[in-house]
Each structure stands twice: as C-alpha cells, then as structure tokens.
Amino acid sequence: IEEANPKTNPEKRQIGLPSLRGYPGNRFQKYRQWRVSLWYESMRIKYSTKVLSYDHAYGFIFNALEKKRVESLGLNEWKGMLDEIIFNEGISWLNRPLLNSLYGVQKLLEGFGQLFLTGYIKGELFSSEQYKVGRAVELASSVVEEALAYNYQTRWIEEQVPRIIKILEIDPLVLVPISTLHSRFG
C-alpha cells in the first residue's frame, strides 16, 4: 500500500493528492478519506501561507496547529464537512500506533498529535510524558483559539511553535519516521 501523503504548496496554489490506493478501507471509504484530504489541502491553500515538512518535529507541530486553525475556518464556511472529518478521524484512528509501542521523541510527538487533533490518546503515557503532552496540548489549543479570535494568520501560528517544543523538551529538528507520524494525521 502506498502512503497517502498530500503535498500542498500555498505559494503556487497547488495540491498533490495520492491515489485511492494510499488509503485504508474499501473503495468508498478510501474515496471519503481522499475527499477529506482534498478539503483539508484546499483549506490550507485558502487560509495558509506555508506548509512545512512532516519529517521533523517543528514541521509536525506547526502543521498540526495550522490544520486545526484552517479546519475551524473551513467548517465555518461548510459545516457539511464535519461528518466526513469525524469519519476520517475514525478510520485514521485504527491505523495509529499504540503509544506503548513508541519511545522518546516519537512517543511525545505522537501523543501530542493524538491528543491535540482528536482529544484522545491510544495507549499509555508515563506521568512525566503525560504532563508534557497535556501542557503542550493546552498551549496549542489556546494558540489556535487566540488565532481564531483575533484573526491571526500562519506567521503568528509559526511563532508559537517554539513554545510548544520547549514544553515537550524536544529537538525541533529531530527526524520523525513517516511510519510513526503520518501526515494525514498531522
């Protein structure tokens, strides 16, 4: 199965989506996931000025914050997408790794991504990891809320990423294996 990693370039206003083969499920489920990917990337084109690589911690966190911001802005325009987003989260949840199977930075980032983007974690975090992830998610949520309340844009969101990295106590340039953190999730 090929990876389903969309590529978006807001500057050039271009979206590249993988074929349906990159998504799990039957044909209709794959189509629904592909459609959600297209919607998210369209919202990035409309509301973002930057998309970073998911290959490093900084890009993963930045993209997660922007995903939440553009999702909220997009749902204000088209509330009908909510059911599709929920379906997509459910399907992608099945493919998320258990946190117990990860270690170090990957575990912290996956925990952050799961809790921030869905409100849940799959598996367990130790107390110090849970504390860091919880605080990082609280900050990330308040950052997105503030951005929406005051119409702050992509640049402001990016300026907040170091604060989250500091809470997680991770190297922002650490490489993140694609198999651990999948861009459809982030």
Side-chain angles (χ1 to χ4, degrees), residues 133-148:
V133 167
R135 284 191 53 226
V137 167
E138 283 176 22
L139 177 57
S141 297
S142 70
V143 163
V144 172
E145 287 171 18
E146 188 173 342
L148 293 168

Side-chain angles (χ1 to χ4, degrees), residues 4-154:
N5 295 316
K7 304 286 186 236
T8 300
N9 185 333
E11 260 181 39
K12 294 182 180 178
R13 304 187 66 72
Q14 292 178 339
I15 297 171
L17 290 177
S19 71
L20 294 179
R21 288 188 308 270
Y23 298 91
N26 64 36
R27 244 177 115 82
F28 186 59
Q29 291 169 334
K30 290 176 182 203
Y31 168 71
R32 289 179 74 184
Q33 292 169 80
W34 181 88
R35 191 170 67 180
V36 169
S37 291
L38 177 60
W39 182 80
Y40 270 117
E41 300 313 310
S42 298
M43 294 304 100
R44 287 180 200 263
I45 292 284
K46 185 170 185 174
Y47 295 113
S48 284
T49 57
K50 185 184 276 190
V51 177
L52 297 177
S53 168
Y54 289 89
D55 294 342
H56 51 85
Y58 188 93
F60 176 78
I61 292 169
F62 168 76
N63 290 334
L65 292 170
E66 270 294 84
K67 178 179 182 177
K68 277 302 224 191
R69 185 178 74 85
V70 302
E71 175 184 281
S72 184
L73 293 169
L75 285 173
N76 283 337
E77 281 185 45
W78 191 16
K79 294 185 187 329
M81 210 51 201
L82 184 59
D83 287 343
E84 293 303 298
I85 290 170
I86 292 168
F87 169 80
N88 192 60
E89 284 180 0
I91 288 283
S92 69
W93 186 256
L94 296 174
N95 296 303
R96 300 300 340 132
L98 276 172
L99 294 178
N100 314 32
S101 67
L102 303 174
Y103 301 96
V105 174
Q106 281 71 34
K107 186 174 186 180
L108 288 171
L109 286 171
E110 180 67 26
F112 170 80
Q114 287 182 10
L115 190 58
F116 178 62
L117 295 171
T118 70
Y120 302 98
I121 59 169
K122 188 173 179 180
E124 296 178 297
L125 292 169
F126 295 116
S127 62
S128 64
E129 297 165 333
Q130 189 169 13
Y131 178 73
K132 289 176 190 177
V133 167
R135 284 191 53 226
V137 167
E138 283 176 22
L139 177 57
S141 297
S142 70
V143 163
V144 172
E145 287 171 18
E146 188 173 342
L148 293 168
Y150 296 103
N151 199 28
Y152 294 151
Q153 305 299 311
T154 304

